[in-house]
Amino acid sequence: MAKKDQTTDAAREKDREKWMARFQVRLAMQPGVDRAVVLQAVKDVTAHCADTGEHPQTAFGDPDAYAVHAAARLVSVDRAAHARRRNAMVDAFSSVLKRARYVPGL
């Protein structure tokens, strides 16, 4: 019986780690999110789960959706807008460079 409990606990812990990893990746992809924001969000989720004993999926739902919610809560609107504009400029510049490779004589 104890072995089954250990197996169940290990599976639950692995599932929690997978949720946290996906949450961190999705959060880091949000505009304006830096390392400090990711660390704060992970700290918040970890503290809540430690206090309540809940699994992150139960407490916060889908990690992708919660990453969007956490970014909106932790990143200012101005900072997110600036990051979106910068990302758009970098994408446009990258696109031009890719096309320039195919121009003869350059």
Side-chain angles (χ1 to χ4, degrees):
M1 182 85 172
K3 186 173 184 175
K4 185 175 181 181
D5 290 341
Q6 289 175 350
T7 304
T8 303
D9 290 343
R12 184 171 167 82
E13 179 63 21
K14 184 170 180 104
D15 189 47
R16 187 194 69 74
E17 288 174 2
K18 286 170 66 174
W19 190 98
M20 290 295 288
R22 183 169 182 108
F23 169 65
Q24 290 176 53
V25 167
R26 297 298 185 193
L27 181 60
M29 293 171 57
Q30 298 302 309
V33 171
D34 61 6
R35 185 173 187 265
V37 171
V38 173
L39 291 174
Q40 181 61 47
V42 168
K43 181 180 172 184
D44 294 346
V45 169
T46 303
H48 175 83
C49 292
D51 291 345
T52 64
E54 288 181 293
H55 188 279
Q57 180 73 36
T58 305
F60 302 103
D62 179 59
D64 297 343
Y66 188 65
V68 171
H69 173 74
R73 183 174 53 88
L74 296 171
V75 176
S76 72
V77 174
D78 292 338
R79 183 174 173 183
H82 174 71
R84 277 197 225 37
R85 284 191 305 271
R86 183 185 38 147
N87 290 345
M89 285 187 289
V90 169
D91 290 345
F93 186 68
S94 176
S95 177
V96 168
L97 288 177
K98 286 179 186 176
R99 290 180 189 159
R101 283 190 288 178
Y102 300 109
V103 175
L106 286 180

PDB file of all heavy atoms in Angstrom, residues 25-60:
ATOM      1  N   VAL A  25       7.260  28.970 -19.109  1.00  0.00           N
ATOM      2  CA  VAL A  25       7.586  29.207 -20.516  1.00  0.00           C
ATOM      3  C   VAL A  25       6.567  30.146 -21.135  1.00  0.00           C
ATOM      4  O   VAL A  25       6.924  31.120 -21.810  1.00  0.00           O
ATOM      5  CB  VAL A  25       7.663  27.875 -21.292  1.00  0.00           C
ATOM      6  CG1 VAL A  25       7.692  28.110 -22.795  1.00  0.00           C
ATOM      7  CG2 VAL A  25       8.875  27.077 -20.852  1.00  0.00           C
ATOM      8  N   ARG A  26       5.299  29.868 -20.921  1.00  0.00           N
ATOM      9  CA  ARG A  26       4.249  30.720 -21.490  1.00  0.00           C
ATOM     10  C   ARG A  26       4.294  32.128 -20.911  1.00  0.00           C
ATOM     11  O   ARG A  26       4.045  33.101 -21.621  1.00  0.00           O
ATOM     12  CB  ARG A  26       2.868  30.114 -21.259  1.00  0.00           C
ATOM     13  CG  ARG A  26       2.666  28.800 -21.939  1.00  0.00           C
ATOM     14  CD  ARG A  26       2.783  28.932 -23.429  1.00  0.00           C
ATOM     15  NE  ARG A  26       2.463  27.652 -24.026  1.00  0.00           N
ATOM     16  CZ  ARG A  26       2.692  27.342 -25.271  1.00  0.00           C
ATOM     17  NH1 ARG A  26       3.229  28.228 -26.082  1.00  0.00           N
ATOM     18  NH2 ARG A  26       2.386  26.172 -25.736  1.00  0.00           N
ATOM     19  N   LEU A  27       4.595  32.242 -19.635  1.00  0.00           N
ATOM     20  CA  LEU A  27       4.692  33.560 -19.018  1.00  0.00           C
ATOM     21  C   LEU A  27       5.863  34.341 -19.605  1.00  0.00           C
ATOM     22  O   LEU A  27       5.737  35.525 -19.928  1.00  0.00           O
ATOM     23  CB  LEU A  27       4.848  33.430 -17.500  1.00  0.00           C
ATOM     24  CG  LEU A  27       4.930  34.728 -16.718  1.00  0.00           C
ATOM     25  CD1 LEU A  27       3.669  35.577 -16.919  1.00  0.00           C
ATOM     26  CD2 LEU A  27       5.134  34.428 -15.235  1.00  0.00           C
ATOM     27  N   ALA A  28       6.996  33.688 -19.777  1.00  0.00           N
ATOM     28  CA  ALA A  28       8.179  34.354 -20.327  1.00  0.00           C
ATOM     29  C   ALA A  28       7.946  34.843 -21.752  1.00  0.00           C
ATOM     30  O   ALA A  28       8.588  35.794 -22.191  1.00  0.00           O
ATOM     31  CB  ALA A  28       9.380  33.408 -20.288  1.00  0.00           C
ATOM     32  N   MET A  29       7.013  34.242 -22.460  1.00  0.00           N
ATOM     33  CA  MET A  29       6.716  34.638 -23.830  1.00  0.00           C
ATOM     34  C   MET A  29       5.790  35.858 -23.904  1.00  0.00           C
ATOM     35  O   MET A  29       5.623  36.434 -24.986  1.00  0.00           O
ATOM     36  CB  MET A  29       6.074  33.463 -24.577  1.00  0.00           C
ATOM     37  CG  MET A  29       7.027  32.302 -24.781  1.00  0.00           C
ATOM     38  SD  MET A  29       6.235  30.808 -25.422  1.00  0.00           S
ATOM     39  CE  MET A  29       5.483  31.381 -26.905  1.00  0.00           C
ATOM     40  N   GLN A  30       5.217  36.259 -22.813  1.00  0.00           N
ATOM     41  CA  GLN A  30       4.295  37.396 -22.812  1.00  0.00           C
ATOM     42  C   GLN A  30       5.069  38.711 -22.949  1.00  0.00           C
ATOM     43  O   GLN A  30       6.161  38.846 -22.411  1.00  0.00           O
ATOM     44  CB  GLN A  30       3.461  37.417 -21.530  1.00  0.00           C
ATOM     45  CG  GLN A  30       2.581  36.199 -21.337  1.00  0.00           C
ATOM     46  CD  GLN A  30       1.619  36.002 -22.468  1.00  0.00           C
ATOM     47  OE1 GLN A  30       0.904  36.910 -22.869  1.00  0.00           O
ATOM     48  NE2 GLN A  30       1.614  34.796 -23.024  1.00  0.00           N
ATOM     49  N   PRO A  31       4.498  39.687 -23.648  1.00  0.00           N
ATOM     50  CA  PRO A  31       5.186  40.972 -23.836  1.00  0.00           C
ATOM     51  C   PRO A  31       5.478  41.679 -22.517  1.00  0.00           C
ATOM     52  O   PRO A  31       4.612  41.765 -21.645  1.00  0.00           O
ATOM     53  CB  PRO A  31       4.195  41.802 -24.668  1.00  0.00           C
ATOM     54  CG  PRO A  31       3.262  40.822 -25.273  1.00  0.00           C
ATOM     55  CD  PRO A  31       3.219  39.649 -24.346  1.00  0.00           C
ATOM     56  N   GLY A  32       6.714  42.146 -22.363  1.00  0.00           N
ATOM     57  CA  GLY A  32       7.108  42.907 -21.190  1.00  0.00           C
ATOM     58  C   GLY A  32       7.516  42.083 -19.987  1.00  0.00           C
ATOM     59  O   GLY A  32       7.916  42.630 -18.963  1.00  0.00           O
ATOM     60  N   VAL A  33       7.435  40.774 -20.093  1.00  0.00           N
ATOM     61  CA  VAL A  33       7.776  39.909 -18.961  1.00  0.00           C
ATOM     62  C   VAL A  33       9.284  39.685 -18.941  1.00  0.00           C
ATOM     63  O   VAL A  33       9.878  39.320 -19.948  1.00  0.00           O
ATOM     64  CB  VAL A  33       7.025  38.565 -19.044  1.00  0.00           C
ATOM     65  CG1 VAL A  33       7.532  37.593 -18.001  1.00  0.00           C
ATOM     66  CG2 VAL A  33       5.533  38.791 -18.882  1.00  0.00           C
ATOM     67  N   ASP A  34       9.877  39.922 -17.782  1.00  0.00           N
ATOM     68  CA  ASP A  34      11.301  39.649 -17.608  1.00  0.00           C
ATOM     69  C   ASP A  34      11.477  38.614 -16.500  1.00  0.00           C
ATOM     70  O   ASP A  34      10.501  38.070 -15.971  1.00  0.00           O
ATOM     71  CB  ASP A  34      12.076  40.936 -17.315  1.00  0.00           C
ATOM     72  CG  ASP A  34      11.625  41.625 -16.040  1.00  0.00           C
ATOM     73  OD1 ASP A  34      10.791  41.073 -15.293  1.00  0.00           O
ATOM     74  OD2 ASP A  34      12.111  42.742 -15.783  1.00  0.00           O
ATOM     75  N   ARG A  35      12.705  38.339 -16.170  1.00  0.00           N
ATOM     76  CA  ARG A  35      13.024  37.311 -15.172  1.00  0.00           C
ATOM     77  C   ARG A  35      12.371  37.603 -13.828  1.00  0.00           C
ATOM     78  O   ARG A  35      11.848  36.708 -13.173  1.00  0.00           O
ATOM     79  CB  ARG A  35      14.544  37.220 -15.020  1.00  0.00           C
ATOM     80  CG  ARG A  35      15.006  36.126 -14.104  1.00  0.00           C
ATOM     81  CD  ARG A  35      16.534  35.997 -14.158  1.00  0.00           C
ATOM     82  NE  ARG A  35      16.976  34.863 -13.408  1.00  0.00           N
ATOM     83  CZ  ARG A  35      17.375  34.915 -12.145  1.00  0.00           C
ATOM     84  NH1 ARG A  35      17.385  36.064 -11.500  1.00  0.00           N
ATOM     85  NH2 ARG A  35      17.768  33.827 -11.520  1.00  0.00           N
ATOM     86  N   ALA A  36      12.383  38.855 -13.416  1.00  0.00           N
ATOM     87  CA  ALA A  36      11.800  39.222 -12.118  1.00  0.00           C
ATOM     88  C   ALA A  36      10.301  38.923 -12.077  1.00  0.00           C
ATOM     89  O   ALA A  36       9.786  38.455 -11.053  1.00  0.00           O
ATOM     90  CB  ALA A  36      12.055  40.697 -11.833  1.00  0.00           C
ATOM     91  N   VAL A  37       9.619  39.168 -13.172  1.00  0.00           N
ATOM     92  CA  VAL A  37       8.178  38.892 -13.225  1.00  0.00           C
ATOM     93  C   VAL A  37       7.928  37.388 -13.138  1.00  0.00           C
ATOM     94  O   VAL A  37       7.049  36.937 -12.405  1.00  0.00           O
ATOM     95  CB  VAL A  37       7.560  39.490 -14.515  1.00  0.00           C
ATOM     96  CG1 VAL A  37       6.124  39.024 -14.697  1.00  0.00           C
ATOM     97  CG2 VAL A  37       7.634  41.003 -14.483  1.00  0.00           C
ATOM     98  N   VAL A  38       8.710  36.615 -13.878  1.00  0.00           N
ATOM     99  CA  VAL A  38       8.554  35.154 -13.833  1.00  0.00           C
ATOM    100  C   VAL A  38       8.811  34.646 -12.417  1.00  0.00           C
ATOM    101  O   VAL A  38       8.033  33.841 -11.885  1.00  0.00           O
ATOM    102  CB  VAL A  38       9.484  34.456 -14.846  1.00  0.00           C
ATOM    103  CG1 VAL A  38       9.441  32.946 -14.674  1.00  0.00           C
ATOM    104  CG2 VAL A  38       9.110  34.837 -16.270  1.00  0.00           C
ATOM    105  N   LEU A  39       9.878  35.117 -11.797  1.00  0.00           N
ATOM    106  CA  LEU A  39      10.190  34.668 -10.433  1.00  0.00           C
ATOM    107  C   LEU A  39       9.083  35.033  -9.450  1.00  0.00           C
ATOM    108  O   LEU A  39       8.722  34.234  -8.581  1.00  0.00           O
ATOM    109  CB  LEU A  39      11.520  35.251  -9.976  1.00  0.00           C
ATOM    110  CG  LEU A  39      12.763  34.708 -10.690  1.00  0.00           C
ATOM    111  CD1 LEU A  39      14.004  35.468 -10.245  1.00  0.00           C
ATOM    112  CD2 LEU A  39      12.917  33.228 -10.451  1.00  0.00           C
ATOM    113  N   GLN A  40       8.520  36.234  -9.575  1.00  0.00           N
ATOM    114  CA  GLN A  40       7.438  36.655  -8.681  1.00  0.00           C
ATOM    115  C   GLN A  40       6.199  35.787  -8.881  1.00  0.00           C
ATOM    116  O   GLN A  40       5.568  35.354  -7.915  1.00  0.00           O
ATOM    117  CB  GLN A  40       7.076  38.131  -8.906  1.00  0.00           C
ATOM    118  CG  GLN A  40       5.980  38.629  -7.987  1.00  0.00           C
ATOM    119  CD  GLN A  40       6.356  38.547  -6.513  1.00  0.00           C
ATOM    120  OE1 GLN A  40       7.446  38.965  -6.140  1.00  0.00           O
ATOM    121  NE2 GLN A  40       5.484  37.988  -5.704  1.00  0.00           N
ATOM    122  N   ALA A  41       5.855  35.514 -10.125  1.00  0.00           N
ATOM    123  CA  ALA A  41       4.679  34.695 -10.418  1.00  0.00           C
ATOM    124  C   ALA A  41       4.862  33.264  -9.900  1.00  0.00           C
ATOM    125  O   ALA A  41       3.938  32.686  -9.307  1.00  0.00           O
ATOM    126  CB  ALA A  41       4.396  34.689 -11.906  1.00  0.00           C
ATOM    127  N   VAL A  42       6.042  32.707 -10.098  1.00  0.00           N
ATOM    128  CA  VAL A  42       6.318  31.355  -9.604  1.00  0.00           C
ATOM    129  C   VAL A  42       6.256  31.334  -8.074  1.00  0.00           C
ATOM    130  O   VAL A  42       5.701  30.406  -7.478  1.00  0.00           O
ATOM    131  CB  VAL A  42       7.684  30.844 -10.120  1.00  0.00           C
ATOM    132  CG1 VAL A  42       8.120  29.589  -9.390  1.00  0.00           C
ATOM    133  CG2 VAL A  42       7.612  30.606 -11.618  1.00  0.00           C
ATOM    134  N   LYS A  43       6.797  32.361  -7.458  1.00  0.00           N
ATOM    135  CA  LYS A  43       6.748  32.462  -5.992  1.00  0.00           C
ATOM    136  C   LYS A  43       5.296  32.520  -5.511  1.00  0.00           C
ATOM    137  O   LYS A  43       4.938  31.841  -4.538  1.00  0.00           O
ATOM    138  CB  LYS A  43       7.501  33.716  -5.555  1.00  0.00           C
ATOM    139  CG  LYS A  43       7.544  33.927  -4.067  1.00  0.00           C
ATOM    140  CD  LYS A  43       8.306  35.205  -3.744  1.00  0.00           C
ATOM    141  CE  LYS A  43       8.197  35.544  -2.269  1.00  0.00           C
ATOM    142  NZ  LYS A  43       8.844  36.815  -1.964  1.00  0.00           N
ATOM    143  N   ASP A  44       4.462  33.294  -6.186  1.00  0.00           N
ATOM    144  CA  ASP A  44       3.050  33.403  -5.812  1.00  0.00           C
ATOM    145  C   ASP A  44       2.328  32.060  -5.925  1.00  0.00           C
ATOM    146  O   ASP A  44       1.601  31.655  -5.021  1.00  0.00           O
ATOM    147  CB  ASP A  44       2.335  34.440  -6.680  1.00  0.00           C
ATOM    148  CG  ASP A  44       2.825  35.862  -6.448  1.00  0.00           C
ATOM    149  OD1 ASP A  44       3.517  36.111  -5.436  1.00  0.00           O
ATOM    150  OD2 ASP A  44       2.514  36.722  -7.302  1.00  0.00           O
ATOM    151  N   VAL A  45       2.540  31.377  -7.052  1.00  0.00           N
ATOM    152  CA  VAL A  45       1.883  30.087  -7.269  1.00  0.00           C
ATOM    153  C   VAL A  45       2.379  29.063  -6.250  1.00  0.00           C
ATOM    154  O   VAL A  45       1.587  28.343  -5.640  1.00  0.00           O
ATOM    155  CB  VAL A  45       2.124  29.578  -8.712  1.00  0.00           C
ATOM    156  CG1 VAL A  45       1.681  28.130  -8.868  1.00  0.00           C
ATOM    157  CG2 VAL A  45       1.409  30.473  -9.712  1.00  0.00           C
ATOM    158  N   THR A  46       3.684  29.007  -6.050  1.00  0.00           N
ATOM    159  CA  THR A  46       4.264  28.040  -5.115  1.00  0.00           C
ATOM    160  C   THR A  46       3.767  28.282  -3.691  1.00  0.00           C
ATOM    161  O   THR A  46       3.412  27.330  -2.980  1.00  0.00           O
ATOM    162  CB  THR A  46       5.802  28.111  -5.165  1.00  0.00           C
ATOM    163  OG1 THR A  46       6.226  27.879  -6.510  1.00  0.00           O
ATOM    164  CG2 THR A  46       6.438  27.076  -4.259  1.00  0.00           C
ATOM    165  N   ALA A  47       3.727  29.543  -3.283  1.00  0.00           N
ATOM    166  CA  ALA A  47       3.253  29.865  -1.931  1.00  0.00           C
ATOM    167  C   ALA A  47       1.794  29.483  -1.762  1.00  0.00           C
ATOM    168  O   ALA A  47       1.405  28.904  -0.731  1.00  0.00           O
ATOM    169  CB  ALA A  47       3.452  31.348  -1.646  1.00  0.00           C
ATOM    170  N   HIS A  48       0.965  29.785  -2.752  1.00  0.00           N
ATOM    171  CA  HIS A  48      -0.457  29.439  -2.663  1.00  0.00           C
ATOM    172  C   HIS A  48      -0.636  27.927  -2.538  1.00  0.00           C
ATOM    173  O   HIS A  48      -1.400  27.455  -1.691  1.00  0.00           O
ATOM    174  CB  HIS A  48      -1.215  29.960  -3.883  1.00  0.00           C
ATOM    175  CG  HIS A  48      -2.643  29.526  -3.892  1.00  0.00           C
ATOM    176  ND1 HIS A  48      -3.610  30.196  -3.185  1.00  0.00           N
ATOM    177  CD2 HIS A  48      -3.261  28.479  -4.496  1.00  0.00           C
ATOM    178  CE1 HIS A  48      -4.770  29.581  -3.357  1.00  0.00           C
ATOM    179  NE2 HIS A  48      -4.574  28.531  -4.154  1.00  0.00           N
ATOM    180  N   CYS A  49       0.068  27.189  -3.390  1.00  0.00           N
ATOM    181  CA  CYS A  49      -0.069  25.731  -3.376  1.00  0.00           C
ATOM    182  C   CYS A  49       0.464  25.124  -2.077  1.00  0.00           C
ATOM    183  O   CYS A  49      -0.102  24.159  -1.566  1.00  0.00           O
ATOM    184  CB  CYS A  49       0.622  25.122  -4.590  1.00  0.00           C
ATOM    185  SG  CYS A  49      -0.219  25.539  -6.134  1.00  0.00           S
ATOM    186  N   ALA A  50       1.533  25.698  -1.540  1.00  0.00           N
ATOM    187  CA  ALA A  50       2.078  25.206  -0.269  1.00  0.00           C
ATOM    188  C   ALA A  50       1.104  25.490   0.881  1.00  0.00           C
ATOM    189  O   ALA A  50       0.916  24.652   1.757  1.00  0.00           O
ATOM    190  CB  ALA A  50       3.428  25.847   0.014  1.00  0.00           C
ATOM    191  N   ASP A  51       0.476  26.660   0.856  1.00  0.00           N
ATOM    192  CA  ASP A  51      -0.460  27.029   1.918  1.00  0.00           C
ATOM    193  C   ASP A  51      -1.745  26.221   1.878  1.00  0.00           C
ATOM    194  O   ASP A  51      -2.279  25.839   2.918  1.00  0.00           O
ATOM    195  CB  ASP A  51      -0.819  28.522   1.831  1.00  0.00           C
ATOM    196  CG  ASP A  51       0.349  29.421   2.192  1.00  0.00           C
ATOM    197  OD1 ASP A  51       1.336  28.925   2.776  1.00  0.00           O
ATOM    198  OD2 ASP A  51       0.274  30.629   1.874  1.00  0.00           O
ATOM    199  N   THR A  52      -2.256  25.977   0.674  1.00  0.00           N
ATOM    200  CA  THR A  52      -3.557  25.320   0.544  1.00  0.00           C
ATOM    201  C   THR A  52      -3.464  23.825   0.286  1.00  0.00           C
ATOM    202  O   THR A  52      -4.444  23.110   0.487  1.00  0.00           O
ATOM    203  CB  THR A  52      -4.357  25.949  -0.610  1.00  0.00           C
ATOM    204  OG1 THR A  52      -3.671  25.721  -1.839  1.00  0.00           O
ATOM    205  CG2 THR A  52      -4.576  27.436  -0.387  1.00  0.00           C
ATOM    206  N   GLY A  53      -2.311  23.365  -0.209  1.00  0.00           N
ATOM    207  CA  GLY A  53      -2.177  21.957  -0.566  1.00  0.00           C
ATOM    208  C   GLY A  53      -2.806  21.630  -1.915  1.00  0.00           C
ATOM    209  O   GLY A  53      -2.877  20.470  -2.301  1.00  0.00           O
ATOM    210  N   GLU A  54      -3.270  22.658  -2.623  1.00  0.00           N
ATOM    211  CA  GLU A  54      -3.887  22.442  -3.924  1.00  0.00           C
ATOM    212  C   GLU A  54      -2.842  22.224  -5.005  1.00  0.00           C
ATOM    213  O   GLU A  54      -1.723  22.712  -4.902  1.00  0.00           O
ATOM    214  CB  GLU A  54      -4.712  23.669  -4.342  1.00  0.00           C
ATOM    215  CG  GLU A  54      -5.980  23.879  -3.587  1.00  0.00           C
ATOM    216  CD  GLU A  54      -6.717  25.103  -4.099  1.00  0.00           C
ATOM    217  OE1 GLU A  54      -6.201  26.219  -3.926  1.00  0.00           O
ATOM    218  OE2 GLU A  54      -7.794  24.920  -4.685  1.00  0.00           O
ATOM    219  N   HIS A  55      -3.242  21.517  -6.023  1.00  0.00           N
ATOM    220  CA  HIS A  55      -2.432  21.371  -7.232  1.00  0.00           C
ATOM    221  C   HIS A  55      -2.605  22.658  -8.036  1.00  0.00           C
ATOM    222  O   HIS A  55      -3.693  23.246  -8.034  1.00  0.00           O
ATOM    223  CB  HIS A  55      -2.928  20.161  -8.029  1.00  0.00           C
ATOM    224  CG  HIS A  55      -2.062  19.812  -9.183  1.00  0.00           C
ATOM    225  ND1 HIS A  55      -2.138  20.474 -10.388  1.00  0.00           N
ATOM    226  CD2 HIS A  55      -1.102  18.873  -9.324  1.00  0.00           C
ATOM    227  CE1 HIS A  55      -1.265  19.958 -11.222  1.00  0.00           C
ATOM    228  NE2 HIS A  55      -0.623  18.979 -10.610  1.00  0.00           N
ATOM    229  N   PRO A  56      -1.568  23.138  -8.726  1.00  0.00           N
ATOM    230  CA  PRO A  56      -1.702  24.377  -9.498  1.00  0.00           C
ATOM    231  C   PRO A  56      -2.828  24.330 -10.540  1.00  0.00           C
ATOM    232  O   PRO A  56      -3.498  25.328 -10.777  1.00  0.00           O
ATOM    233  CB  PRO A  56      -0.348  24.559 -10.174  1.00  0.00           C
ATOM    234  CG  PRO A  56       0.572  23.610  -9.550  1.00  0.00           C
ATOM    235  CD  PRO A  56      -0.212  22.610  -8.793  1.00  0.00           C
ATOM    236  N   GLN A  57      -3.045  23.169 -11.125  1.00  0.00           N
ATOM    237  CA  GLN A  57      -4.118  23.033 -12.118  1.00  0.00           C
ATOM    238  C   GLN A  57      -5.470  23.294 -11.469  1.00  0.00           C
ATOM    239  O   GLN A  57      -6.316  23.970 -12.040  1.00  0.00           O
ATOM    240  CB  GLN A  57      -4.094  21.630 -12.734  1.00  0.00           C
ATOM    241  CG  GLN A  57      -5.168  21.387 -13.773  1.00  0.00           C
ATOM    242  CD  GLN A  57      -4.893  22.101 -15.084  1.00  0.00           C
ATOM    243  OE1 GLN A  57      -3.748  22.217 -15.497  1.00  0.00           O
ATOM    244  NE2 GLN A  57      -5.926  22.579 -15.726  1.00  0.00           N
ATOM    245  N   THR A  58      -5.644  22.802 -10.261  1.00  0.00           N
ATOM    246  CA  THR A  58      -6.891  23.006  -9.536  1.00  0.00           C
ATOM    247  C   THR A  58      -7.051  24.458  -9.119  1.00  0.00           C
ATOM    248  O   THR A  58      -8.132  25.033  -9.248  1.00  0.00           O
ATOM    249  CB  THR A  58      -6.931  22.105  -8.288  1.00  0.00           C
ATOM    250  OG1 THR A  58      -6.713  20.748  -8.678  1.00  0.00           O
ATOM    251  CG2 THR A  58      -8.248  22.221  -7.560  1.00  0.00           C
ATOM    252  N   ALA A  59      -5.980  25.048  -8.634  1.00  0.00           N
ATOM    253  CA  ALA A  59      -6.046  26.410  -8.111  1.00  0.00           C
ATOM    254  C   ALA A  59      -6.103  27.468  -9.209  1.00  0.00           C
ATOM    255  O   ALA A  59      -6.825  28.459  -9.082  1.00  0.00           O
ATOM    256  CB  ALA A  59      -4.843  26.668  -7.210  1.00  0.00           C
ATOM    257  N   PHE A  60      -5.349  27.274 -10.296  1.00  0.00           N
ATOM    258  CA  PHE A  60      -5.198  28.323 -11.299  1.00  0.00           C
ATOM    259  C   PHE A  60      -5.696  27.947 -12.692  1.00  0.00           C
ATOM    260  O   PHE A  60      -5.732  28.793 -13.572  1.00  0.00           O
ATOM    261  CB  PHE A  60      -3.727  28.749 -11.377  1.00  0.00           C
ATOM    262  CG  PHE A  60      -3.194  29.230 -10.065  1.00  0.00           C
ATOM    263  CD1 PHE A  60      -2.375  28.433  -9.292  1.00  0.00           C
ATOM    264  CD2 PHE A  60      -3.534  30.486  -9.584  1.00  0.00           C
ATOM    265  CE1 PHE A  60      -1.882  28.874  -8.069  1.00  0.00           C
ATOM    266  CE2 PHE A  60      -3.051  30.938  -8.367  1.00  0.00           C
ATOM    267  CZ  PHE A  60      -2.235  30.124  -7.607  1.00  0.00           C
TER     268      PHE A  60
END
